[in-house]
Every structure is written in structure tokens, then in C-alpha cells.
Amino acid sequence: MAQCAAAAATSGDVNGDGKTKRKVAIITGITGQDGSYLAEFLLAKGMRRVILVFCNVLTVTRLNTEIDLGNAAHDDITIPYPTVQCVWQISFDLAEYTADVDGVGTLRLLDAVKTCGLTDTVRFYQASTSELYGKVQEIPQKETTPFYPRSPYGAAKLYAYWIVVNFREAYNLFAVNGILFNHESPRRGSNFVTRKISRSVAKIHLGQLQCFSLGNLDSKRDWGHAKDYVEAMWLMLQQEEPIDFVIATGEVHSVREFVEKAFKHVGKTIVWEGKNEEEVGRCQETGEIHVKVDPKYYRPTEVDFLQGDSSKALKIIGWKPRVTFEELVKEMVDADIELMRNNPNA
Ligand code: GDD
């Protein structure tokens, strides 16, 4: 679907050698980080053909591009990258569009499977989200926690979640929801908070920037690595029964902590001064202010705290995260230093 979420429809039975038997996958939302990691992952698993579908978040037009990847490495493939606007700006300002793509878009795909008579052969993965929990009703959040979305995006994803359940129950389609908590990487879009921080810290480290602004520093998220999460998508499609799973690390960190860790990695200690909109993050070593708060990044309705419990996934599909929070922050900052060093305007 749009906005960094990837959905895969595959026929993913496993051979004795651990490779998939039938070899076609369709991935939507290829311009986001998950689409590219998933394509690479599936190719490594022996999937012969991966069809990448673009969902440009700025236009309703879909550019459906079929690329036969063969055994080519992902780096050999040129994928046009559309301009990406702030997801949340789109979600709130273009609520109807969000509902159309993230909600009804899922129905359209499911309907296509049914109309083509493929309910017995296709396996359908829906990129569901911890945004469903929004104003959390229980800590930590697991598969049985009641949903309470807090944005047009969350509300659209709620529809997508239930329509997948409905097609599963009504037509016996192998369709699953992966309720993925936040997952990041050097490929994360630059409007998401983690990448915004890693890019800014890299620029500050290289002397290309002095200060950047953030919104709610106290928002807390359960951040994992996208590479680990695409493996969970695949595992969910290899099971005998279609089952929905929460995929999360179970660890929670604030935006503030992410900032501190990222700066620490380049040898800067951030100390916080002031309150609310007046708060700043100052470098203890140089006295320079590197972080400010700008209310324009606040959301009309905020999701303050997300923490997942993925023990069901561990028990049934044997999934657990590999990359730690510390490793994730370092990888993102290092990748951005490399990127900015070679191309300061990136
Ligand atoms: N984007 C952004 N920019 N977020 C900021 C900023 C800022 O300058 N300052 C603070 N934040 C806070 C947001 O208010 C939010 O509470 C938190 O940082 C995380 O924001 P994002 O990184 O934009 O991600 P998200 O949690 O809203 O949504 C992501 O995760 C979901 C999974 O739970 C997206 O990937 C969704 O598509 C996904 O479904």
C-alpha cells in the first residue's frame, strides 16, 4: 500500500530445501523501505519473479511496473523514487485519499484475487500496523488488545485489517495481517523521525548543519530493524494456517533517547534545557544548540506510546528480532554520514 507499507501476495509453500516452491511475489509500496528489503529477501529465498507495484503517495495514478528481477542483485535495479511528502501531513490533510489507498486499496487487491479465482492459490500479506492501537488500551499491546486508531491512516488501516479477516473467513483465502510496530533502517523515508534524526546528526557531524527541529520529544516507540521485520512477513506466509501476529521488539524508547544515542555515536553529549516549545538540546562539549522544538511537527492527535508483545510470534513462527536499538541507531547514523559525505545535498 502507500506510505512505506509493503503488502505481498505470494504463493509461498516451502520445499524441503527451505526455498519457496512457487515463485511469484507481488509487492506494493515498493518505494518504501519494506518493499525493497522484502524484494531482496524473497529473491534470496529463491523466488524467481518479484513484481513491484508503485503507489505514488502524491498522485492517485498508480504506475504499475513489472520488473523481472531474475537473479539480479537489488543494486542492479533502477527504481524511480517519487517525491515523498510528510506521511502524516498526507494522512491528516488528505484523509479521503488515505482511506482510498490504505483501506479500500486492500479490498481492491482482495477482490482481484477472488475475481480471478485465485483464492486457493494466493497467499496474501497485509502490512498492518501498531497505529491500530493508537490511544493504547493495554500495555504492552498484543493480538487481543482492543484497537483505538488516532489518525486517518490508523482508521484506514483498521478497515484493511478487518477486510483481510473477512476474506479469510468468508472465502477461505490464506490472508494474514502482520501488525508491525515501527521498523527503521538507513532506507527509511527522511520524514520519519528516526531518519530525520540520523540525517541531521550526520550533517551536524560533518559540519553541514548546525541545528534541526523536532516535534514531540517524549513520544515513545517500539523500534526494530526493517530487515528483521520482512523476515516475519515471509514466515507468516509459510505457515499451514493463516494467523495474524504482532511483530515488535518489546522495548520502548523515546524520541529524546533516539536523539541522545545518535549524537553520542558521533561523540556529542546532548543536555536538555527549557520546557515544551522552549526546550533545546545543547551539546555539552561545544555549548552549541543542535535541537529545537517546533510545534509544527506536533500532530492533531498523537500516539504517545507504543510497545508490542510479540511472544505469540516467537512461539508459533519462531520469530524474534536480531538487531538491538543501539545497533539500529548506529547503523542509521553511520549510513547517513557516508551518504552526506559523498553527497551533502542528499
Ligand atoms: N515524523 C516526525 N517528525 N515525527 C516526530 C517528529 C518529527 O519531527 N518529532 C517527534 N515525532 C514523533 C511523532 O509525533 C511520533 O509520535 C513519533 O515521533 C514517531 O513518528 P514517525 O517516525 O513519523 O512514525 P509513526 O510512529 O507515526 O508511524 C510509523 O510507524 C507505524 C507503525 O506503528 C509509520 O511507519 C507508519 O506507517 C507505521 O504504520
Side-chain angles (χ1 to χ4, degrees), residues 282-328:
R282 191 185 291 281
C283 175
Q284 198 173 48
E285 290 79 14
T286 63
E288 278 179 276
I289 291 176
H290 288 318
V291 188
K292 287 185 180 168
V293 172
D294 188 332
K296 87 171 174 212
Y297 297 114
Y298 290 165
R299 290 174 181 172
T301 43
E302 173 66 296
V303 174
D304 303 302
F305 179 98
L306 290 173
Q307 180 181 23
D309 173 357
S310 59
S311 45
K312 181 176 161 190
L314 177 62
K315 195 167 156 216
I316 300 178
I317 59 173
W319 181 87
K320 61 172 191 279
R322 294 192 178 93
V323 182
T324 65
F325 177 68
E326 179 125 6
E327 288 166 347
L328 173 68

Side-chain angles (χ1 to χ4, degrees), residues 1 5-10 26-28 34 38 106 109-110 122-129 157 164 173-181 183 229-237 243-245 247:
M1 310 315 303
T10 86
I26 298 172
I27 305 174
T28 65
D34 292 6
L38 187 58
T106 305
L109 289 173
L110 290 165
V122 163
R123 293 193 166 204
F124 190 94
Y125 173 86
Q126 206 272 123
S128 191
T129 165
K157 284 294 203 178
V164 163
L173 173 68
F174 190 112
V176 291
N177 289 294
I179 309 173
L180 270 50
F181 281 61
H183 43 288
Y229 287 50
V230 299
E231 185 188 7
M233 296 176 190
W234 179 80
L235 282 169
M236 288 173 68
L237 291 172
I243 305 172
D244 302 328
F245 289 101
I247 301 297

